[in-house]
Amino acid sequence: MRLDNTDQALVERLRGGDTDAVADLSARYGARIQQLAMRYVKNREDAEEVAQDVLLKVNRRIDAFRGDSALSSWIYRITFNTAMSRLRRLKHLRPVEPAPVETPSFDDSGAPRVTPDPPDWSSLADDEVMRGELRARLVQALRTLPAVYRVPVLLRDIHGLSTEEASAVLRIKPQTLKSRLHRGRLILREKLGDFASGLSLHRH
């Protein structure tokens, strides 16, 4: 995959030790890194620290960037891993606090692990009784959804990642992500047919 001219020049400057390149890296990607981190850590201070860590890691590891994917995709993967590491540390430091969101995890090969119960989607329905039934059905439906479809649904529809960000995290092509996401949503709709009249499973 060919980098655009701006990213190509930025990579070359970082590899060359250009001190101004780090500032340009921050100006180009800092806001997006922090926004992505915020979706996971749910705290501005933590998101800012994650963003700073990511920028430092990108600078230190730039020689490891092979250029076979977009620079942004490589940065998003680093951001995801850094945010997950911080969430694990915070869990040990704040054992009494519940995890703010479900965080999909991956094994050493990059394959998604079986995930725990999803966060409460009860706000998708208005009626109190329907909310309880809907949540129970969603939990069961997501448990039975194959991980290859479940993780894209979680990343896009729960965490709100863009197609580019989610495909970068999963290390798959955007078109593959879209295909799996579409299939996962269809399966969920079939399993939740009783609620179809008042339910939208994903953001437009």
Side-chain angles (χ1 to χ4, degrees):
M1 181 175 181
R2 184 177 177 83
L3 297 179
D4 66 39
N5 292 335
T6 302
D7 279 346
Q8 182 64 53
L10 183 57
V11 168
E12 291 175 359
R13 290 171 58 206
L14 288 169
R15 287 174 175 167
D18 184 342
T19 56
D20 291 334
V22 178
D24 290 341
L25 173 70
S26 179
R28 184 167 173 79
Y29 287 106
R32 278 184 279 177
I33 292 171
Q34 186 170 330
Q35 182 182 41
L36 180 58
M38 186 70 178
R39 293 172 183 170
Y40 291 102
V41 299
K42 300 297 183 182
N43 177 283
R44 176 170 292 183
E45 181 179 345
D46 291 331
E48 289 175 352
E49 292 192 22
V50 167
Q52 290 300 315
D53 286 346
V54 170
L55 291 171
L56 290 173
K57 288 177 180 179
V58 170
N59 185 40
R60 288 200 305 264
R61 301 176 184 176
I62 194 63
D63 287 337
F65 176 63
R66 298 189 302 271
D68 52 1
S69 64
L71 179 62
S72 60
S73 295
W74 186 64
I75 291 174
Y76 293 151
R77 285 197 295 269
I78 293 175
T79 303
F80 177 82
N81 292 332
T82 303
M84 293 302 100
S85 295
R86 186 165 187 83
L87 281 175
R88 286 192 290 270
R89 289 198 301 271
L90 292 175
K91 184 178 180 180
H92 292 298
L93 291 173
R94 308 170 190 168
V96 298
E97 294 184 7
V101 292
E102 178 189 1
T103 53
S105 58
F106 305 84
D107 60 25
D108 293 337
S109 68
R113 294 191 179 99
V114 176
T115 55
D117 288 351
D120 190 353
W121 281 9
S122 59
S123 60
L124 290 172
D126 294 327
D127 182 79
E128 288 292 335
V129 176
M130 187 177 183
R131 283 208 297 264
E133 294 178 356
L134 173 59
R135 185 183 189 285
R137 289 282 295 277
L138 276 168
V139 169
Q140 183 60 33
L142 282 168
R143 280 176 175 168
T144 60
L145 193 65
V148 69
Y149 303 128
R150 181 173 64 248
V151 176
V153 169
L154 290 171
L155 291 176
R156 287 284 282 114
D157 296 339
I158 297 296
H159 294 294
L161 272 64
S162 68
T163 297
E164 181 186 10
E165 292 164 348
S167 60
V169 167
L170 293 174
R171 302 188 182 190
I172 58 178
K173 295 180 179 179
Q175 191 57 44
T176 302
L177 184 284
K178 290 178 181 178
S179 177
R180 293 179 183 178
L181 179 64
H182 178 67
R183 179 58 180 162
R185 287 170 173 170
L186 286 178
I187 295 174
L188 284 178
R189 284 187 178 280
E190 290 174 1
K191 293 178 180 293
L192 300 169
D194 295 346
F195 298 92
S197 61
L199 175 65
S200 175
L201 284 176
H202 60 278
R203 300 181 180 94
H204 297 287

